[in-house]
């Protein structure tokens, strides 16, 4: 209540002051005792003083207090003109921002009132324009002028922080006065007027750990050596108060959560001085033996601890690693243990911080040590082979019962039990081997073939006689040594082709061999012909000495009709000890070739053809015969339909070799425009009927003496013979005939377009008009339009 009364009193005092200030200004306007705020003098160029004309309006800047809630509109000020004599003839008009809505003017007296409550934080000032006009004529009496109404601020807005809650961190054990965070509040009131926006910060909660600067809002530490391990989080309340913190001011608060961050100020420490562990002698290297842990109250990287073995008789047998998730030291077995040799070990383990802060090095040393004692427990161990694996060799084709090798295992326990051996039959399904259960000797049961299986991988079990559950297994690899027991053969199923016109010593195929034996028994192959055909008259063999051989032609001139297939035996020997050899047969076919040596035909049906014609030539000949037969059938059919002669002889017609295309479409008279017989024999209409060829009725038998010899390879002779037979055979189509293409289109009204006979006929046509048809018809104009010129020249 007291604060409200103070605020009301303060507002009343401000209102009284403003009214007094406004009255003084109005009095100044009316009396014109002093110049207006704009001034009456200005300096011109070169320091000359210019006198401004006296203004008709006189006023200063107006003020109105915000948040006024009185019953009547508040008077802002009064406007008055020098020419206003008070008789009411002058009318005052107000325009601009808020005119007529917020600010109204008495058009007679010029008094301006504010009709609404104003908020400076919403709008700080208004620009208005005043004008004096004649009430009767509305004629402006003076130029319009602008003035400003400023809203006077009151303390009606409390301070507000930017955030409702703040979070900050500061390292533990920080020095007093260490800056933590700065909090900032804002006040919507006018900072240029009074103390309404002057803020002062203070701490309400959080003493004595933290303090705040009154003017800046910076929070700082207030106690030394604050320990995160004792208390990690603090809650601080900060207040911001306006009016410079004096009584009557408004305030706002915010909460700040401050967390102490960790520093490495604590060394690791083992909770006990000795650790006891045990491990079985059957443990394998890498197996975990036990764990130790040194406690460090620090967190994060400050609490990281690394473990190491620094001393002890078990340094070579054990190792320690760090589990950074649990911060434990894991003791693991490094080598195999033997209870019968040593039953206990001792280790000295050290735990040290990974990251050390030099500021707190005086709190060290940041490490600790502990003793770890490890006892070895006896275990019933399985047999142990003397080797981790075995490799044996045996020759292929060795007799059954041949010794391959021997494996040996022993019982590592003090009892040294007897051992029995066996072969894992899953690795020897074909049962090639057997093992002596007492001494571990491995022997063959079957004959081995390297070309079938070169390596045999089996497994051998060793078990204690009295303890069948104690079992060991070892891999045994058996290599089968190669013996030269395979002869070389052709690398592929070769089939050679030789031309009938092949030249002597011409190579036509290269062969190679393959041997199933190892390369040691066949590094080079030797090719040769059998002794009985070493002097073969047709072919010979040349060893290239690179595991290949070439087959060559020994003579010239092969004939498919005499023999189209040759079988050449070839002997191939390897380089093994002793060497192996085999006889392989090469199939050679005789083929027809062109002059370039390209194969034309190797088919068996070619034997019955004369002169060895190729398939392409035969197809061409057959196609010609078929075409000729079709033409003959067409002519015979036309002859039977039209009964017109096929051949016309017109010796005197000079156009017998001229082909004319003069189907003019003769209209109604051209009823046989497409009569083939008429087109072929146009003079038949006139009664001239020439001779027609008639197919003979008797069969012609070719003369046997004209057939070429069966062994002839001359294609020209063959074709000439066939032509001669066709010329002498009257039954062979086509029949001799002469075709005449001299028909000029008789019966057509349009006549012929041909100019061939135009020179022999008397024509009265005048072609001089062609001269006027342009350059495209110049040639025709020269030919037909210059007849007189030619006559004159002659």
């Amino acid at each position: 209540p007291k604060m409200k009364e103070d605020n009301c009193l303060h507002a009343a005092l401000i209102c009284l002051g403003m009214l007094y200030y406004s009255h003084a200004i109005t009095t100044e306007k009316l009396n014109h005792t002093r110049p207006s705020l704009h001034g009456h003098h200005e300096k011109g160029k070169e320091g000359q003083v210019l006198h401004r004309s006296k203004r008709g309006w006189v006023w200063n800047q107006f003020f109105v207090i915000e948040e006024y809630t009185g019953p009547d509109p508040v008077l802002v000020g009064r406007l008055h003109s020098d020419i206003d004599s008070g008789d009411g003839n002058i009318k005052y008009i107000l325009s601009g921002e808020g005119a007529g809505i917020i600010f109204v003017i008495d058009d007679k007296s010029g008094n301006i009132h504010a009709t609404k409550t104003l908020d400076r934080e919403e709008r700080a000032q208004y620009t208005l324009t005043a004008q004096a006009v004649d009430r009767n004529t509305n004629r402006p009496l003076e130029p319009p002028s602008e003035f400003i109404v400023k809203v006077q601020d009151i303390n009606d807005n409390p301070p507000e922080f930017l955030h409702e809650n703040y979070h900050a961190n500061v390292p533990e054990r920080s020095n007093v006065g260490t800056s933590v965070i700065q909090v900032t509040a804002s006040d919507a009131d006018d900072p240029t007027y009074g103390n309404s926006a002057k803020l002062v910060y203070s701490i309400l909660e959080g003493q004595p750990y933290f303090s705040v600067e009154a003017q800046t809002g910076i929070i700082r530490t207030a106690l030394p050596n604050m320990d995160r391990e004792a208390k990690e989080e603090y809650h601080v309340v900060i207040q911001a108060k306006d009016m410079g913190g004096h009584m009557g001011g408004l305030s706002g608060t915010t909460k700040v959560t401050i967390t102490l961050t960790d520093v490495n100020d604590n060394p690791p420490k083992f909770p006990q001085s000795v650790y006891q562990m045990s491990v079985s002698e059957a443990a394998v290297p890498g197996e975990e033996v036990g764990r130790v842990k040194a406690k460090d109250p620090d967190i994060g990287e400050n609490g990281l601890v690394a473990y190491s073995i620094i001393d002890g008789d078990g340094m070579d047998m054990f190792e320690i690693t760090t589990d950074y998730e649990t911060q434990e030291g894991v003791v693991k077995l490094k080598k195999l243990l033997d209870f019968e040799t040593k039953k206990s070990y001792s280790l000295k383990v050290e735990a040290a911080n990974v990251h050390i802060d030099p500021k707190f090095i005086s709190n060290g040393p940041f490490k600790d040590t502990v003793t770890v004692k490890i006892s070895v427990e006896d275990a019933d161990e399985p047999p142990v082979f003397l080797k981790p694996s075995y490799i044996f060799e045996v020759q292929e084709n060795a007799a059954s019962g041949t010794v391959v090798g021997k494996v040996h295992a022993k019982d590592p326990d003090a009892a040294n039990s007897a051992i029995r051996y066996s072969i894992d039959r899953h690795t020897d399904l074909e049962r090639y081997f057997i093992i002596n259960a007492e001494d571990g000797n491995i022997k063959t049961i079957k004959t081995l073939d390297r070309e079938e299986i070169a390596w045999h991988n089996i497994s051998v079990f060793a078990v204690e006689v009295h303890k069948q559950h104690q079992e060991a297994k070892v891999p045994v690899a058996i290599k089968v040594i190669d013996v030269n027991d395979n002869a070389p053969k052709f690398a592929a199923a070769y089939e050679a082709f030789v031309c009938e016109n092949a030249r002597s010593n011409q190579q036509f195929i290269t062969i190679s061999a393959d041997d199933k034996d190892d390369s040691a028994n066949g590094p080079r192959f030797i090719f040769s012909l059998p002794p009985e055909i070493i002097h073969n008259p047709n072919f010979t063999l040349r060893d290239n000495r690179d595991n290949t051989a070439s087959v060559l032609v020994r003579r010239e001139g092969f004939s498919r009709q005499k023999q189209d297939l040759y079988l050449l035996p070839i002997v191939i020997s390897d380089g093994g000890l002793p060497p192996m050899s085999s006889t392989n047969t090469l199939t050679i076919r005789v083929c027809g070739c062109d002059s370039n040596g390209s194969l034309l035909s190797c088919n068996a049906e070619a034997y019955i053809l004369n002169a060895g014609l190729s398939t392409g030539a035969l197809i061409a000949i057959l196609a010609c015969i078929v075409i000729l037969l079709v033409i003959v059938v067409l002519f015979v059919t036309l002859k039977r339909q039209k009964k017109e002669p096929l051949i016309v002889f017109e010796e005197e017609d000079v156009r017998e070799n001229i082909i004319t295309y003069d189907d003019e479409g003769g209209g109604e008279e051209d009823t046989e425009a497409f009569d083939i017989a008429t087109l072929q024999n146009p003079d038949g209409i006139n009664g001239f009927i020439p001779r027609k060829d008639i197919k003979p009725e008797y069969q012609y038998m070719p003369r046997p003496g004209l057939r070429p010899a069966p062994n002839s390879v001359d294609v020209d002779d063959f074709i000439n013979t066939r032509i001669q037979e066709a010329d002498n055979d009257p039954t062979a189509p086509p029949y001799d005939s002469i075709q005449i293409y001299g028909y000029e289109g008789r019966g057509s009204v349009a006549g012929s377009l041909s100019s061939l006979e135009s020179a022999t006929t008397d024509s009265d046509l005048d072609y001089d008009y062609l001269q006027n048809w342009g350059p495209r018809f110049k040639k025709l104009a020269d030919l037909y339009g210059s007849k007189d010129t030619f006559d004159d020249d002659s």
Side-chain angles (χ1 to χ4, degrees):
K2 184 178 181 181
M3 182 178 296
K4 290 183 179 180
E5 293 176 359
D6 292 340
N7 289 337
C8 293
L9 181 59
H10 181 67
L13 291 175
I14 293 175
C15 291
L16 291 175
M18 291 303 301
L19 291 174
Y20 176 78
Y21 182 58
S22 177
H23 175 72
I25 292 173
T26 305
T27 305
E28 182 183 352
K29 296 175 192 174
L30 295 175
N31 295 332
H32 301 283
T33 57
R34 289 183 296 175
S36 66
L37 295 176
H38 297 285
H40 285 248
H41 297 85
E42 290 184 358
K43 289 186 178 181
K45 295 181 180 180
E46 299 180 356
Q48 181 182 0
V49 178
L50 301 179
H51 295 274
R52 293 176 56 188
S53 60
K54 186 176 181 181
R55 291 178 51 133
W57 295 100
V58 180
W59 69 80
N60 278 332
Q61 190 168 245
F62 294 158
F63 292 89
V64 60
I65 194 167
E66 69 169 334
E67 305 294 346
Y68 175 75
T69 57
D72 299 324
V74 60
L75 177 63
V76 177
R78 181 183 180 187
L79 300 178
H80 187 72
S81 176
D82 294 342
I83 61 176
D84 187 1
S85 59
D87 55 0
N89 291 328
I90 295 179
K91 179 180 179 181
Y92 296 98
I93 299 175
L94 184 67
S95 62
E97 297 173 344
I101 301 174
I102 300 176
F103 303 101
V104 295
I105 188 171
D106 188 341
D107 60 355
K108 293 182 179 180
S109 64
N111 292 333
I112 301 174
H113 291 80
T115 62
K116 293 184 177 181
T117 301
L118 303 180
D119 187 358
R120 190 202 65 84
E121 287 71 39
E122 180 179 346
R123 184 156 189 170
Q125 67 181 23
Y126 297 85
T127 301
L128 300 171
T129 301
Q131 189 175 15
V133 300
D134 187 277
R135 183 176 297 275
N136 298 322
T137 63
N138 285 331
R139 181 177 60 84
L141 302 178
E142 291 186 1
S145 296
E146 290 185 352
F147 65 94
I148 296 174
V149 177
K150 283 195 172 183
V151 182
Q152 185 68 47
D153 181 54
I154 64 172
N155 189 19
D156 58 343
N157 291 281
E160 294 183 358
F161 284 92
L162 298 179
H163 303 285
E164 185 177 354
N165 293 286
Y166 289 85
H167 295 273
N169 299 320
V170 64
E172 62 174 332
R173 300 189 182 276
S174 297
N175 295 328
V176 175
T178 300
S179 175
V180 179
I181 190 176
Q182 182 178 17
V183 294
T184 304
S186 61
D187 195 318
D189 293 325
D190 189 0
T192 62
Y193 178 76
N195 294 328
S196 298
K198 185 178 181 180
L199 304 181
V200 174
Y201 298 93
S202 61
I203 184 168
L204 301 182
E205 295 181 14
Q207 300 96 339
Y209 306 103
F210 300 96
S211 62
V212 63
E213 291 184 357
Q215 305 300 325
T216 62
I218 298 176
I219 301 175
R220 300 182 182 275
T221 58
L223 282 182
N225 297 324
M226 285 191 292
D227 191 2
R228 185 201 64 84
E229 288 74 30
K231 186 176 181 180
E232 183 175 6
E233 192 173 83
Y234 296 84
H235 297 282
V236 178
V237 177
I238 302 297
Q239 181 190 63
K241 191 174 183 181
D242 59 12
M243 298 301 293
H246 295 92
M247 184 178 296
L250 304 179
S251 63
T253 60
T254 186
K255 295 181 180 179
V256 183
T257 302
I258 301 176
T259 303
L260 297 182
T261 57
D262 184 64
V263 297
N264 190 12
D265 58 341
N266 294 281
K269 188 71 176 177
F270 283 106
Q272 58 196 67
S273 59
V274 178
Y275 283 88
Q276 294 286 346
M277 299 179 184
S278 61
V279 61
S280 173
E281 64 170 337
V284 296
E287 187 173 334
E288 181 179 329
V289 177
R291 295 190 173 214
V292 297
K293 184 175 183 179
K295 295 183 178 180
D296 190 333
D298 296 323
I299 60 174
E301 66 176 14
N302 297 319
L304 293 180
V305 178
Y307 298 88
S308 60
I309 299 175
I310 60 176
D311 198 5
D313 57 2
M315 292 183 65
D316 296 335
M317 303 300 296
F318 300 93
E319 63 182 355
I320 190 168
T321 59
T322 303
D323 185 347
Y324 286 103
E325 292 185 0
T326 61
Q327 291 300 301
E328 293 177 321
V330 183
V331 181
K332 295 182 179 180
L333 184 62
K334 191 175 181 181
K335 296 181 180 180
L336 291 173
L337 300 173
D338 188 5
F339 174 80
E340 290 73 22
T341 303
K342 187 173 178 62
K343 298 180 175 57
S344 64
Y345 295 90
S346 178
L347 302 174
K348 188 175 183 180
V349 176
E350 179 185 78
N353 277 139
V354 177
H355 303 282
I356 299 176
D357 193 341
K359 296 179 181 179
F360 305 99
I361 194 69
S362 59
N363 294 0
F366 288 87
K367 57 184 177 181
D368 194 14
T369 58
V370 70
T371 300
V372 178
K373 293 184 177 181
I374 304 173
S375 59
V376 181
E377 298 178 350
D378 189 19
D380 188 9
E381 302 173 77
V384 177
F385 283 95
L386 298 184
K387 295 181 180 180
S389 63
Y390 293 86
I391 299 178
F392 300 130
E393 293 182 351
V394 61
Q395 283 193 345
E396 67 173 328
N397 302 327
S400 177
T402 301
V403 177
V404 177
K406 181 179 181 180
V407 298
H408 183 68
K410 67 176 183 178
D411 183 11
D413 297 326
N416 196 15
S417 300
I419 305 297
R420 293 186 64 85
Y421 303 94
S422 63
I423 295 177
D424 183 1
R425 288 305 169 187
H426 293 90
T427 61
D428 186 26
L429 296 175
E430 299 296 331
R431 293 184 175 270
Y432 287 102
F433 307 98
I434 190 172
I435 191 170
N436 189 308
E438 305 296 335
D439 58 11
N441 276 322
I442 301 175
K443 299 180 180 180
T444 62
I445 303 176
K446 298 179 181 180
T447 301
L448 304 179
D449 187 1
R450 189 203 68 86
E451 287 70 41
E452 182 179 351
I453 302 177
W455 284 85
H456 294 268
N457 296 302
I458 64 175
S459 297
V460 175
F461 290 112
V463 296
E464 296 182 14
V465 175
H466 303 292
K467 298 177 182 178
Q468 298 294 329
H469 64 280
Q470 293 295 350
E471 180 182 77
K473 184 169 69 172
V474 68
V476 178
I478 301 173
K479 180 181 180 181
V480 181
I481 302 175
D482 183 51
V483 174
N484 192 21
D485 57 347
N486 289 277
K489 296 181 180 180
F490 277 159
Y494 293 107
E495 185 174 6
F497 302 91
V498 64
C499 296
E500 287 181 312
N501 57 355
R503 301 186 306 274
S504 178
N505 292 327
Q506 179 180 351
Q507 174 183 335
F508 60 91
I509 191 173
T510 301
I511 59 175
S512 62
D514 191 10
D515 195 336
K516 294 183 179 180
D517 291 324
D518 192 20
S519 59
N521 290 314
R524 192 178 87 78
F525 299 118
I526 302 172
F527 300 86
S528 63
L529 295 178
E532 61 271 13
I533 63 168
I534 193 67
H535 299 294
N536 188 298
N538 299 316
F539 307 100
T540 184
L541 185 71
R542 182 179 64 202
D543 193 337
N544 297 326
R545 298 183 179 275
D546 59 354
N547 291 334
T548 65
S550 300
V551 182
L552 297 86
V553 177
R554 174 166 286 185
R555 68 177 178 86
E556 295 182 357
F558 290 86
S559 175
R560 285 183 291 169
Q561 294 181 352
K562 290 183 179 180
Q563 185 175 350
D564 67 323
L565 185 66
Y566 292 90
L567 299 177
L568 181 65
I570 298 176
V571 178
I572 308 175
S573 302
D574 60 21
L577 293 175
M580 297 287 290
S581 64
S582 66
T583 302
N584 302 264
T585 301
L586 177 64
T587 302
I588 304 173
R589 293 188 179 275
V590 180
C591 302
C593 305
D594 57 13
S595 59
N596 296 326
S598 300
L599 296 180
L600 295 178
S601 175
C602 297
N603 297 331
E605 59 269 15
Y607 300 158
I608 65 175
L609 299 178
N610 294 326
L613 281 178
S614 66
T615 304
L618 291 175
I619 293 175
I621 293 172
L622 291 176
C624 292
I625 294 173
V626 171
I627 293 172
L628 292 175
L629 289 175
V630 171
I631 294 174
V632 170
V633 172
L634 179 61
F635 274 92
V636 171
T637 303
L638 294 176
K639 183 185 71 172
R640 291 179 179 177
Q641 289 180 355
K642 296 296 180 178
K643 301 297 182 177
E644 295 294 337
L646 295 174
I647 301 174
V648 177
F649 290 97
E650 188 175 349
E651 298 177 355
E652 297 179 358
D653 193 348
V654 297
R655 298 169 299 164
E656 59 183 289
N657 293 325
I658 303 299
I659 301 174
T660 59
Y661 300 91
D662 53 359
D663 185 5
E664 295 296 335
E668 296 178 356
E669 294 183 10
D670 193 7
T671 57
E672 293 182 355
F674 297 94
D675 189 347
I676 301 299
T678 304
L679 292 176
Q680 291 177 339
N681 188 16
D683 293 329
I685 304 174
N686 299 330
F688 177 75
I689 301 175
R691 177 185 64 83
K692 294 190 293 182
D693 291 338
I694 301 174
K695 179 180 179 182
E697 298 296 335
Y698 64 91
Q699 297 294 326
Y700 170 75
M701 297 300 293
R703 289 177 293 177
L706 297 176
R707 185 177 299 278
N711 293 333
S712 176
V713 295
D714 193 343
V715 179
D716 293 340
D717 294 342
F718 174 80
I719 295 175
N720 293 329
T721 302
R722 286 289 184 263
I723 294 174
Q724 185 178 359
E725 290 179 358
D727 291 341
N728 297 326
D729 184 5
T731 62
Y735 312 114
D736 293 338
S737 62
I738 297 176
Q739 301 299 323
I740 303 301
Y741 301 94
Y743 179 47
E744 285 295 329
R746 293 180 178 87
S748 174
V749 176
S752 175
L753 293 179
S754 174
S755 62
L756 295 176
E757 295 181 354
S758 60
T760 61
T761 60
D762 293 335
S763 176
D764 296 335
L765 295 177
D766 184 8
Y767 297 99
D768 291 337
Y769 61 86
L770 294 175
Q771 299 287 349
N772 301 324
W773 282 17
R776 294 187 178 182
F777 296 90
K778 185 177 184 303
K779 189 66 175 179
L780 291 175
D782 294 340
L783 292 175
Y784 297 98
S786 54
K787 179 177 179 182
D788 298 339
T789 304
F790 294 144
D791 294 340
D792 296 340
D793 294 341
S794 60

